[in-house]
C-alpha cells in the first residue's frame, strides 16, 4: 500500500478495479476542511483518463508494472508481433490496443512492453523517434512568417505540422507523447 501523499508522476496504482498511471497530481490544503490530493489518472487497460480526488493520507494499492524491452517485428493481420531481445519469445498485441503507438512504430524498433501479473497492458515508446517525411508541400522561399508551418506525412502514415524548410525525404525527430516535430535528424 502507498499513501496518496507520496504520489509521483508515472507512479502506477490499483484502484476502482483498474490499473492507473498518475499523470499529474496536486496537494490541496483549503482554508476550511481537510487536505486532499487532486490527481489525473490514466487507465492502462483502456487508455481513458480521469480526474480523481483522494483524502490526504488515504492508502491505495501500488501496482508493480514490469517493463520488458522488446523489438517490434511486423504486423500480422489485426495484431502486431514483438520479440523479447533476451529469450527470443514472441508476443502478439492486438492493433486496437496500440492505436496511438502505431503512429510512431517502425519495424525493428526497440520498445518497452508494460506487463502486470502476466497481462499485457501496452507499449511504451521512446520519448522521441526518427521518422522519414514521405509527403509534404515544398517550402516557398520568402513565404516565411514567424512560426509558419505546413503539414507533412511521415513513413508511418501520421501527419503533423512541421516548419517550412522541411522537405520530402528528410528524417525528423518526433516527440511521441505530443505527436509534435522536434528537429531534423
Amino acid at each position: 500500500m502507498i499513501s496518496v501523499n507520496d504520489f509521483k508522476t508515472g507512479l502506477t496504482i490499483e484502484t476502482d478495479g483498474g490499473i492507473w498511471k498518475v499523470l499529474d497530481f496536486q496537494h490541496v490544503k483549503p482554508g476550511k476542511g481537510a487536505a486532499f490530493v487532486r490527481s489525473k489518472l490514466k487507465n492502462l487497460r483502456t487508455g481513458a483518463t480521469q480526474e480523481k480526488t483522494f483524502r490526504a493520507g488515504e492508502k491505495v494499492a501500488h501496482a508493480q508494472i514490469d517493463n520488458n524491452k522488446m523489438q517490434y517485428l511486423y504486423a500480422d493481420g489485426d495484431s502486431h508481433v514483438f520479440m523479447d531481445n533476451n529469450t527470443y519469445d514472441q508476443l502478439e498485441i492486438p492493433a486496437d490496443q496500440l492505436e496511438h503507438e502505431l503512429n510512431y512504430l517502425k519495424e525493428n524498433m526497440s520498445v518497452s512492453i508494460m506487463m502486470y501479473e502476466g497481462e499485457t497492458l501496452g507499449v511504451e515508446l521512446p520519448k522521441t523517434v526518427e521518422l522519414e517525411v514521405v509527403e509534404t508541400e515544398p517550402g516557398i522561399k520568402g513565404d516565411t512568417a514567424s512560426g509558419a508551418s505546413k503539414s507533412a506525412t511521415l513513413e508511418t502514415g501520421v501527419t503533423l505540422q512541421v516548419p517550412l524548410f522541411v522537405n520530402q525525404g528528410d528524417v525528423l525527430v518526433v516527440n511521441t507523447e505530443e505527436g509534435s516535430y522536434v528537429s531534423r535528424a
Side-chain angles (χ1 to χ4, degrees):
M1 297 295 271
I2 187 169
S3 170
V4 296
N5 296 340
D6 298 329
F7 271 9
K8 295 181 196 137
T9 302
L11 178 74
T12 51
I13 61 171
E14 191 173 354
T15 184
D16 298 338
I19 308 298
W20 303 84
K21 182 177 188 177
V22 177
L23 300 177
D24 192 24
F25 66 96
Q26 179 181 16
H27 296 278
V28 180
K29 282 179 65 175
K32 184 177 181 182
F36 58 91
V37 176
R38 185 178 294 131
S39 63
K40 184 174 182 181
L41 306 173
K42 178 181 179 181
N43 188 320
L44 294 178
R45 287 187 177 122
T46 64
T49 58
Q50 158 184 336
E51 291 195 11
K52 186 166 173 71
T53 303
F54 298 94
R55 292 184 313 275
E58 188 175 336
K59 302 275 189 201
V60 292
H62 181 266
Q64 185 60 44
I65 304 293
D66 297 322
N67 287 317
N68 301 339
K69 288 283 183 201
M70 292 196 173
Q71 182 179 14
Y72 175 61
L73 296 179
Y74 56 90
D76 183 24
D78 285 343
S79 62
H80 295 269
V81 180
F82 295 83
M83 179 183 69
D84 190 312
N85 295 335
N86 299 325
T87 64
Y88 302 109
D89 290 339
Q90 292 186 359
L91 172 70
E92 288 190 24
I93 299 178
D96 60 355
Q97 205 173 345
L98 301 171
E99 289 176 17
H100 169 75
E101 291 82 359
L102 289 176
N103 291 328
Y104 310 103
L105 210 50
K106 289 190 333 184
E107 290 183 1
N108 301 321
M109 176 186 265
S110 288
V111 295
S112 186
I113 305 289
M114 297 181 295
M115 308 277 283
Y116 178 70
E117 296 179 353
E119 175 189 0
T120 304
L121 296 175
V123 175
E124 200 169 280
L125 296 169
K127 293 264 188 234
T128 59
V129 295
E130 292 183 3
L131 298 171
E132 184 179 342
V133 177
V134 292
E135 185 181 331
T136 187
E137 300 167 4
I140 300 167
K141 201 167 193 147
D143 188 18
T144 53
S146 177
S149 62
K150 61 183 178 178
S151 188
T153 304
L154 306 180
E155 63 186 291
T156 58
V158 69
T159 303
L160 56 101
Q161 293 297 310
V162 298
L164 294 176
F165 59 79
V166 172
N167 296 314
Q168 191 168 328
D170 287 354
V171 177
L172 306 180
V173 177
V174 179
N175 181 320
T176 57
E177 293 173 348
E178 300 170 2
S180 60
Y181 165 86
V182 177
S183 67
R184 280 196 281 196

